[in-house]
Structure formats: structure tokens, C-alpha cells
Amino acid sequence: MDTAAFRMSLNAAEPPATVSLPLQALWWDAKGDWDRAHECAQADPGRGGAAVHAYLHRKEPDLANARYWYTRAGRSPATGSLDDEWAALAAELLNG
């Protein structure tokens, strides 16, 4: 699945069954369900889950918590727009 198809899937009631938990988190976030997005990100123990978790806390905004999750993901805190970070994470996770 590419980024365009992932964005198109936002018209559905549920995320695609084949996507990872971090991608499900981004999907729910794009649908406006931060809590469900957070549950998905928190359920993934890997770096992808941590990166999306950081993004979600940055969006919240809870910057101290976001910094913790950026560190867990092995990344510097994002400084661009939230939309740009969402798109970059989606592309990375879809290509990963």
C-alpha cells in the first residue's frame, strides 16, 4: 500500500486489516479519534510505535511526554507542522 491508498482508506469505517499498529494509530488520528490512535501506538513496543506515540503527544500537546517518546524512538523531536510529520511517518511506515 502506498501513501495515496492509505489516505484513500480514510473513507472506510476501519483501518485496512493489513497495516501495522503504528499505521492504525495514524489512521485513527486522521479520523479524529486521538484516544484510539493512542491505544494503537501504545500497543506497539517498537520504534514505529514510539515515533507515532511521540507525534500524538506533540499533537495533544504534552511536549514533555512527546520528548520522552521521541527519545524512545531514537529520533530528535519534530519541529515542522503536525501534518508534515503525519505524512512523513505514514510514508516511512508504509515503506518500512
Side-chain angles (χ1 to χ4, degrees):
M1 173 176 290
D2 63 15
T3 305
F6 184 66
R7 284 189 186 273
M8 292 283 295
S9 77
L10 294 169
N11 294 319
E14 296 285 328
T18 59
V19 299
S20 66
L21 283 168
L23 281 166
Q24 289 177 41
L26 290 176
W27 192 94
W28 287 113
D29 174 67
K31 296 285 272 190
D33 192 337
W34 189 95
D35 290 327
R36 197 142 180 204
H38 186 255
E39 289 172 12
C40 291
Q42 196 164 357
D44 185 283
R47 287 184 177 230
V52 175
H53 206 152
Y55 157 80
L56 290 169
H57 283 296
R58 179 175 173 236
K59 184 175 186 176
E60 189 176 19
D62 181 348
L63 299 181
N65 202 350
R67 279 191 298 276
Y68 168 80
W69 286 103
Y70 282 116
T71 300
R72 290 272 311 260
R75 299 169 182 251
S76 298
T79 57
S81 74
L82 289 167
D83 289 340
D84 287 348
E85 185 177 9
W86 187 97
L89 284 167
E92 176 184 329
L93 292 166
L94 286 163
N95 294 321

